[in-house]
C-alpha cells in the first residue's frame, strides 16, 4: 500500500504508462520513448552527473531539482522496461533495517 509520500510515484507511473500511446509532438515522455533505450539511458547518465555537480557545488536547491530530474528519468526507464516504481520500493522495503555493512559481509562471506 503506497503511503502519501510515495503516492506521487504511483500517479506519475500511471501518466508514464499512458504516454506510451501519446503524440511525441505534444509529450516529452512520448518523444523520449520514441528515441529508444539508448536515449533514455543517456538522460539518466546526464542527470546523475548533474546531481553530482550540484552536490559538489554545495547548492541544495539545485541538488533537489537535479535529483527530481534523475528520479523522473529513472521512472521513464522503468516504464520503458515494463516496470513501475513498486518493485524498487519493495526492494528498499525488504532491505529496510538490514545494515549495509552486514549485507555486504554476508555477500563476501
Ligand atoms: N516530472 C517530469 C519531468 N521532469 C523533468 N522533465 C523534463 O525532462 C527534461 C530534462 O532535460 P534537461 O534538463 O536536460 O533539459 P532539456 O534541455 O529540455 O533536455 P534535452 O533537450 O537535453 O533532452 C526537460 O525537458 C524537463 O521538462 C519532465 N517532464 C515531465 N515530467 C512529468 O511527466 C509528465 C508527462 O510529461 P509529458 O509527456 O511531457 O506530457 C508531466 O506531467 C510531469 O508530471
Amino acid at each position: 500500500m503506497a503511503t502519501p509520500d510515495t503516492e506521487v510515484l504511483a500517479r506519475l507511473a500511471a501518466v508514464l504508462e499512458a504516454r506510451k500511446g501519446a503524440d511525441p509532438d505534444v509529450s516529452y515522455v512520448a518523444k523520449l520513448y520514441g528515441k529508444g533505450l539508448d536515449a533514455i539511458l543517456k538522460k539518466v547518465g546526464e542527470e546523475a552527473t548533474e546531481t553530482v555537480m550540484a552536490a559538489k557545488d554545495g547548492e541544495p536547491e539545485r541538488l533537489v531539482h537535479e535529483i527530481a530530474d534523475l528520479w523522473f528519468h529513472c521512472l521513464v526507464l522503468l516504464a520503458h522496461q515494463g516496470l513501475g516504481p513498486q518493485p524498487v520500493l519493495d526492494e528498499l522495503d525488504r532491505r529496510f533495517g538490514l545494515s549495509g555493512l552486514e549485507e555486504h559481509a554476508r555477500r563476501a562471506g
Side-chain angles (χ1 to χ4, degrees):
M1 173 74 106
T3 68
D5 289 331
T6 58
E7 193 256 347
V8 66
L9 296 180
R11 276 191 286 129
L12 184 50
V15 172
L16 298 183
E17 203 52 40
R19 288 299 190 266
K20 287 181 179 174
D23 181 350
D25 288 336
V26 296
S27 160
Y28 171 78
V29 174
K31 193 173 171 188
L32 197 47
Y33 286 149
K35 288 181 180 172
L37 179 61
D38 283 359
I40 297 170
L41 296 176
K42 187 163 176 273
K43 290 306 295 181
V44 169
E46 283 173 12
E47 303 305 349
T49 301
E50 283 166 21
T51 294
V52 170
M53 286 161 58
K56 291 292 280 183
D57 290 345
E59 296 180 21
E61 278 181 29
R62 202 175 119 220
L63 180 61
V64 169
H65 184 97
E66 298 301 350
I67 288 181
D69 278 352
L70 177 59
W71 288 15
F72 166 71
H73 284 91
C74 286
L75 288 170
V76 173
L77 174 60
L78 284 167
H80 183 266
Q81 299 295 294
L83 295 165
Q86 197 57 51
V88 179
L89 296 172
D90 290 345
E91 178 62 15
L92 288 172
D93 196 37
R94 187 190 67 76
R95 295 179 191 180
F96 192 81
L98 176 65
S99 158
L101 294 177
E102 191 182 323
E103 190 275 338
H104 183 80
R106 277 190 206 171
R107 269 191 288 133

